[in-house]
Amino acid sequence: MKHVEWYARFFSAVTGRESDPDDLITMSEAVYNFQRLFNLKMGFGRREHDAIPYRAAGPVTVEEYDSRKERYDKQTGGKTRRQYHREEH
């Protein structure tokens, strides 16, 4: 939960409200539960709707990557995804 500790420190610094990882998890659960209830009220929320949007997955086809290759390469400095994420970002 090291990354959650970082988010807790960041949240505390930005909001001025002291929090720890358990506080963030509790808040996240409340938001998640609210979203689920809201979606159910709007007619969504069954398993068929329980997936991330297609675009959230990033480029998933060769054609899609190639159409944006210049932008992706600029963001990563021409490195592969694995090389890019090994470095500290």
Side-chain angles (χ1 to χ4, degrees):
M1 284 199 5
K2 185 176 182 179
H3 67 285
V4 180
E5 292 172 12
W6 181 88
Y7 281 112
R9 287 195 311 268
F10 186 77
F11 181 83
S12 296
V14 170
T15 63
R17 176 180 163 202
E18 285 299 317
S19 63
D20 59 26
D22 291 330
D23 294 334
L24 283 188
I25 290 171
T26 301
M27 287 185 275
S28 296
E29 288 172 349
V31 169
Y32 176 78
N33 290 333
F34 174 78
Q35 289 173 334
R36 298 286 292 180
L37 287 170
F38 182 83
N39 285 339
L40 284 170
K41 183 168 177 60
M42 299 306 292
F44 300 101
R46 297 184 306 273
R47 186 169 300 276
E48 66 188 271
H49 303 113
D50 211 9
I52 63 169
Y54 173 79
R55 293 298 312 140
V60 293
T61 65
V62 173
E63 293 80 18
E64 189 176 10
Y65 175 81
D66 286 342
S67 71
R68 297 170 181 86
K69 186 177 185 325
E70 189 175 301
R71 182 176 67 188
Y72 293 131
D73 288 348
K74 184 178 179 183
Q75 290 173 345
T76 64
K79 297 180 176 88
T80 66
R81 182 177 178 187
R82 181 172 285 154
Q83 291 169 331
Y84 181 76
H85 288 289
R86 277 189 196 147
E87 298 175 358
E88 300 273 332
H89 286 279

